[in-house]
């Protein structure tokens, strides 16, 4: 029998002689439960945050070591039969933190430019002139928002706090331009115009040919299909644009950014900007989406997490007492 660095060899079989495996497992459990408490704390802190999507912490077993290796056995004279593998685990770790992207209820604001999406889609916002692949797609089937596993410079959002800026562009409350489709002129019967084949672009109030400045819109309205209309100071109606909705194949592949913005991550799959549909989502004006944090669920989970944390601390205490007894054997 030889020993080195806590490893002993008995009959040429390696065995771990470390006496604090239970403490290491408990420490791993403490870290995992602390992470879950951090996620729960963030959920509860954002219970009144517009468009917030709650997170769930998922645990998995940590690394396992084999105490006894399994053998199949031999059915010959004098031989032994099969032996099952005996393994020892080293606690729990966080396997993933998943986001619940289910739609939440809306809260009435009374502002015609406040809007939410009823469905799983996202608003498309970003800086002016973001390099969207308008040539890679069309208004019907959608325009690809991803190039070479990276975003085209736009962000996705579930919060529609929109307003016009001084240049007549529709922007959100952080100054990002709202992307959508330009609309042509209505026909002589006032029927809504068709989309202009120019792809996604920042939505802007049409320019008055007499002044070369955007019309001064006094009253705004956003339809369920995302069409933005307005009435100017001369009581004339204008079709301003149509808000685009982003369809994301794997929403959990999105990367959360500051505020309520998401960036298309490498595992988000196909992401297209398109017109509002029942499948992707419809626009509801005068409302903002509330947080989907479930306080009852999070409080119940917090209690079980606290108990799990306490149980792991108890393992550390008991292991410490055993080590103390071992040290006192010499006295």
């Amino acid at each position: 029998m030889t020993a080195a660095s806590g490893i002993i060899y008995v009959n040429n079989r390696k065995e771990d002689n470390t006496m604090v495996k239970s403490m290491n497992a408990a420490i791993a459990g403490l870290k995992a439960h602390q992470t879950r408490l951090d996620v729960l704390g963030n959920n509860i802190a954002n219970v009144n945050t517009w468009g917030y999507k709650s997170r769930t912490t998922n645990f998995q077993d940590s690394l396992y070591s084999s105490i006894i290796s399994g053998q199949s056995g031999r059915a010959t004279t004098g031989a032994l039969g099969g032996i099952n593998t005996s393994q020892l685990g080293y606690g729990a770790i966080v396997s993933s933190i998943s986001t619940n992207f289910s739609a939440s209820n809306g809260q009435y604001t009374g502002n015609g430019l406040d809007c939410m999406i009823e469905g799983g889609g996202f608003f498309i916002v970003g800086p002016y002139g973001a390099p969207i692949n308008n040539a890679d797609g069309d208004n019907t089937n959608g325009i690809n928002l991803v190039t070479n596993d990276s975003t085209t410079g736009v962000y996705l959002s579930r919060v529609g706090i929109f307003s016009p800026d001084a240049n007549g562009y529709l922007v959100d409350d952080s100054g990002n331009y709202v992307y959508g489709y330009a609309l042509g002129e209505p026909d002589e019967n006032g029927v809504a115009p068709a989309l202009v084949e120019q792809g996604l672009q920042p939505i802007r109030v049409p320019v008055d040919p007499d002044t070369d400045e955007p019309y001064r819109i006094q009253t705004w309205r956003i339809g369920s299909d995302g069409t933005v209309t307005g009435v100017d100071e001369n009581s004339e109606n204008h079709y301003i644009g149509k808000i685009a909705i982003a369809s994301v194949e794997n929403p959990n592949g999105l990367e959360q950014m500051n505020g309520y913005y998401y960036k298309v991550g490498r595992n988000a799959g196909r992401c297209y900007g398109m017109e509002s549909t029942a499948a992707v989502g419809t626009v509801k004006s005068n409302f903002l989406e509330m947080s989907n944090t479930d306080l009852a669920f999070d409080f119940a989970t917090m209690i079980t997490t606290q108990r799990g944390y306490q149980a792991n601390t108890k393992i550390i205490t008991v292991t410490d007492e055993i080590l103390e007894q071992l040290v006192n054997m010499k006295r």
Side-chain angles (χ1 to χ4, degrees), residues 130-244:
I132 296 177
N133 306 313
N134 282 320
D136 187 11
D138 53 51
N139 293 339
T140 302
N141 298 319
I143 295 172
N144 190 9
L145 298 178
V146 179
T147 301
N148 297 326
D149 295 329
S150 62
T151 59
T152 55
V154 294
Y155 311 122
L156 304 184
S157 168
R158 291 283 300 182
V159 181
I161 305 178
F162 301 148
S163 63
D165 68 359
N167 297 312
Y169 285 97
L170 195 63
V171 298
D172 66 7
D173 59 342
S174 295
N176 285 299
Y177 293 90
V178 180
Y179 277 78
Y181 301 97
L183 294 174
E185 295 295 329
D187 61 18
E188 57 184 9
N189 297 321
V191 177
L195 302 182
V196 176
E197 297 295 335
Q198 294 179 355
L200 294 178
Q201 57 185 291
I203 296 177
R204 190 188 188 191
V205 176
V207 174
D208 185 345
D210 296 330
T211 62
D212 289 332
E213 294 183 358
Y215 288 103
R216 298 179 181 179
I217 303 299
Q218 304 299 312
T219 303
W220 297 78
R221 182 182 181 277
I222 300 178
S224 60
D225 63 347
T227 299
V228 183
T229 58
V231 179
D232 66 13
E233 55 189 358
N234 297 319
S235 299
E236 295 183 1
N237 294 318
H238 298 278
Y239 285 93
I240 298 170
K242 192 171 188 178
I243 297 175

